[in-house]
Amino acid sequence: MHNKLSLTKRNEKKFNKNAEKFAVSKNVRIFAVQYRGIEQLVARRAHNPEAGGSSPPPATKDAVTYFRTIGYGISQKRPCAEFVSRLNADLESGVTSPSKKMSVQKQVSLRQMVEYRPARLAAGKRWQVEFYATDPDTGAFRRKRVAVPMIKPARARRSYAAEMCENINERLRSGWNPWMQLADPRKYILWDEVCENYCRYIARMVHDKLLSVKTYNGYISFLTIFRKWNADRRKPVTYIYQLKAEVMSDFLDWLWLDKGKSARTRDNYLMWLRTFSRFLRERGYADDDPTSSFAMIQGKRKCEKNRTVIPKDVMLRIKEYCEKNDRHFLLACYIEYYCFIRPKEMSHIRIRDISVKMGTISVSAEISKNRKAGVVTIPDCVMRLMLDLGVLTCRSDWYLFSKGFRPGPEHHAAKHFGDFWTLKMKKALKLPPEYKFYSLKDTGITDLIRDKTDLLSVRDQARHHSLQMTDLYTPLEAREANEVIRHHESYF
């Protein structure tokens, strides 16, 4: 049933303009138009067997709509050769329309979802035009009936009904669906497709250094758990318009009440849902923020910082072990304890960031956790160890902690600090599991406060955004009584 179609220049120009969005060749576009013509011809013969010798009407923009509807893997970016071979096979076998059944579990694109059964006249006691279209909520066909007005004589009424059928079929071919009441078709994009777009979006942010890898991994973890929870629901979210505040509220309650997660974990998921909702609004998938009415359980209340302070005798054992086995790792421990530089920031420090004259280490905004540049002071004991190890004589563009914690041109992730701490030193000293490499920073801040150092200096060295954050490190036994209040005595 290969039919030759003579396209007008105007129709071919319109078709090419739309088809170029899918990066297909001119031959593929011609095949799609032929496929559309065959579908029209078969439909005509089905309704009017006497029209078997008639030729199909010229292809219009409906051909483009149906070309998008049949899909054939274009949205999945399959090669054009595979698309052409599959289309040729369908042409030879006389296939007239996609026959894949819509399934909620097996996600398909919106263009494949727009399926229908043509309108026809049901002339009974009541004359009605009935047709079927896919209901996006269930993924199944749903019948729609439209009453035919009372017109006399019957021939005129039948002619009017035929015009109704023609108009409805024309709208159905153009992608109209009576069960889609939303004005914006983007609201009917599949949930899985939106999730894939979101993953591509945050991956690009990591590539452009607008998002850290740690934050990216956290977002992916949140999304994975959310999608798994949604898939296990009795009626999961299939299209993005179904993602409403009730769904997010049920998810947060499931985390906190059913799974027994902490209030802080529940609030962390809520913060991620807010960023995800902002992504949906910016791309037209949602009109408002479903999380706008949600509140944090802890609110702005700051709880005591969850930290572990290493005792003095254990710190001396750590120092003795590092001096005997690896003095370069001792330097890393010194910088963590005295300079309060985070492990990830330490892995990016270069020799040029250290100023012997000023006695400081510069932390650039690119590697800083809060994206703000800062300068920390190097205590004399740390500077002496640097000079003894000769690290300051290396090339200025080398990393301070490269392979084996020695200066070198290769960057090593912050993970190797924790690996040496856990797999070698902590195992050799038989330290409890709560003592981590990052505990050196908490211990250093606490010891500095115990030595009566003013909180403003501690805040600047730790690069905290406020004194309130620094005060969280102050142990209760280090808080002194107010002398003015101590000697206050009133008339009572």
Side-chain angles (χ1 to χ4, degrees):
M1 288 173 53
H2 289 279
N3 292 327
K4 301 286 186 176
L5 293 183
S6 56
L7 296 175
T8 62
K9 291 184 177 180
R10 186 183 66 174
N11 288 335
E12 185 177 8
K13 183 177 181 181
K14 288 183 178 180
F15 186 84
N16 292 345
K17 182 178 180 181
N18 288 277
E20 283 176 357
K21 297 178 181 179
F22 300 92
V24 297
S25 64
K26 184 176 181 181
N27 292 332
V28 175
R29 295 195 293 267
I30 293 175
F31 277 128
V33 177
Q34 290 177 339
Y35 188 84
R36 178 65 189 139
I38 293 172
E39 188 272 345
Q40 292 177 337
L41 179 59
V42 173
R44 284 195 172 192
R45 289 179 179 176
H47 292 283
N48 186 9
E50 298 179 359
S54 61
S55 59
T60 62
K61 62 182 179 181
D62 293 336
V64 179
T65 302
Y66 195 78
F67 171 65
R68 295 177 180 177
T69 302
I70 62 176
Y72 276 104
I74 289 298
S75 59
Q76 286 81 11
K77 299 181 180 179
R78 290 193 176 97
C80 291
E82 180 182 353
F83 170 77
V84 174
S85 62
R86 294 185 60 188
L87 191 53
N88 275 327
D90 285 347
L91 287 172
E92 293 175 358
S93 60
V95 178
T96 60
S97 63
S99 59
K100 293 184 178 180
K101 185 178 180 181
M102 186 68 180
S103 172
V104 174
Q105 298 299 328
K106 183 178 180 181
Q107 300 295 346
V108 293
S109 68
L110 177 62
R111 303 181 184 92
Q112 291 172 319
M113 187 273 297
V114 183
E115 297 178 355
Y116 62 91
R117 293 177 185 172
R120 67 178 184 87
L121 173 62
K125 185 176 180 180
R126 296 179 179 179
W127 284 30
Q128 295 176 328
V129 172
E130 63 179 22
F131 60 95
Y132 291 80
T134 303
D135 187 343
D137 289 330
T138 62
F141 279 127
R142 183 178 171 188
R143 182 169 61 178
K144 176 74 174 178
R145 292 175 176 177
V146 181
V148 179
M150 183 65 69
I151 301 175
K152 294 184 178 181
R155 175 181 291 182
R157 190 179 186 186
R158 190 175 295 276
S159 177
Y160 185 85
E163 291 183 4
M164 289 179 60
C165 292
E166 184 179 353
N167 291 334
I168 291 175
N169 290 333
E170 183 69 20
R171 295 180 65 187
L172 289 171
R173 282 192 294 266
S174 65
W176 172 72
N177 190 314
W179 313 123
M180 291 184 179
Q181 301 302 326
L182 297 179
D184 189 358
R186 291 178 67 87
K187 306 296 189 304
Y188 283 96
I189 292 181
L190 291 166
W191 162 247
D192 282 354
E193 184 176 344
V194 173
C195 291
E196 292 173 3
N197 293 339
Y198 175 73
C199 293
R200 292 174 54 241
Y201 168 74
I202 59 177
R204 181 67 189 189
M205 292 189 67
V206 174
H207 178 270
D208 293 343
K209 297 182 179 180
L210 300 175
L211 196 70
S212 66
V213 177
K214 182 179 179 180
T215 304
Y216 168 82
N217 292 334
Y219 286 176
I220 291 296
S221 177
F222 291 152
L223 179 62
T224 301
I225 294 176
F226 187 34
R227 295 178 72 177
K228 188 177 184 301
W229 170 83
N230 176 66
D232 294 337
R233 296 174 68 223
R234 183 177 61 84
K235 190 176 180 180
V237 172
T238 306
Y239 303 97
I240 191 59
Y241 81 93
Q242 298 172 327
L243 185 63
K244 299 179 180 179
E246 295 80 5
V247 177
M248 295 185 176
S249 177
D250 291 344
F251 174 65
L252 294 175
D253 289 343
W254 173 78
L255 286 170
W256 190 36
L257 302 178
D258 297 341
K259 299 295 291 183
K261 301 295 183 182
S262 65
R264 173 175 292 183
T265 300
R266 182 261 185 195
D267 289 347
N268 290 339
Y269 273 90
L270 175 56
M271 288 189 291
W272 169 75
L273 286 174
R274 287 175 177 173
T275 61
F276 184 66
S277 299
R278 184 167 61 250
F279 167 82
L280 298 179
R281 295 199 315 273
E282 290 175 352
R283 276 141 192 85
Y285 298 137
D287 294 329
D288 52 5
D289 184 4
T291 64
S292 58
S293 60
F294 297 166
M296 309 283 282
I297 293 180
Q298 290 185 332
K300 296 182 179 180
R301 178 171 58 88
K302 293 286 186 181
C303 60
E304 185 178 356
K305 183 175 175 62
N306 183 18
R307 67 189 189 279
T308 300
V309 177
I310 303 176
K312 180 179 179 180
D313 59 327
V314 178
M315 291 292 294
L316 294 176
R317 290 172 57 198
I318 293 173
K319 179 180 179 181
E320 181 181 359
Y321 175 86
C322 292
E323 286 181 339
K324 184 182 298 184
N325 294 276
D326 195 331
R327 299 188 71 203
H328 285 273
F329 185 74
L330 177 62
L331 176 61
C333 294
Y334 269 18
I335 293 179
E336 187 72 20
Y337 176 81
Y338 286 104
C339 302
F340 314 143
I341 298 179
R342 302 173 181 90
K344 183 179 178 181
E345 298 170 344
M346 286 174 52
S347 67
H348 289 278
I349 292 178
R350 298 177 186 265
I351 302 299
R352 62 174 176 239
D353 298 326
I354 303 172
S355 173
V356 179
K357 180 179 180 181
M358 303 299 296
T360 58
I361 299 178
S362 300
V363 182
S364 62
E366 289 76 13
I367 66 175
S368 176
K369 178 183 178 181
N370 57 9
R371 302 298 180 186
K372 294 181 179 180
V375 177
V376 297
T377 302
I378 304 176
D380 293 337
C381 60
V382 181
M383 182 64 72
R384 286 195 299 268
L385 182 58
M386 287 184 177
L387 295 174
D388 292 344
L389 296 176
V391 297
L392 300 179
T393 60
C394 299
R395 292 180 51 175
S396 62
D397 59 338
W398 279 14
Y399 291 98
L400 177 61
F401 298 106
S402 185
K403 185 176 181 180
F405 307 107
R406 287 159 174 74
E410 298 179 357
H411 173 263
H412 279 247
K415 184 176 179 293
H416 75 313
F417 295 114
D419 289 345
F420 185 88
W421 175 279
T422 303
L423 302 178
K424 292 187 177 181
M425 190 202 70
K426 190 162 69 172
K427 186 177 181 180
L429 299 179
K430 298 180 180 180
L431 301 180
E434 60 267 20
Y435 293 166
K436 299 178 175 59
F437 180 73
Y438 195 79
S439 300
L440 293 174
K441 177 186 175 184
D442 297 334
T443 305
I445 296 176
T446 304
D447 289 348
L448 197 60
I449 295 175
R450 283 174 173 167
D451 289 342
K452 312 299 182 183
T453 308
D454 63 284
L455 289 181
L456 188 61
S457 300
V458 179
R459 183 203 67 179
D460 294 341
Q461 181 74 350
R463 291 173 292 134
H464 289 157
H465 66 277
S466 65
L467 285 173
Q468 183 182 6
M469 177 62 67
T470 306
D471 191 56
L472 294 175
Y473 289 86
T474 305
L476 294 177
E477 64 271 13
R479 300 178 186 268
E480 298 180 349
N482 190 300
E483 293 298 326
V484 177
I485 298 178
R486 181 196 292 269
H487 302 291
H488 171 72
E489 185 176 354
S490 185
Y491 60 86
F492 183 68

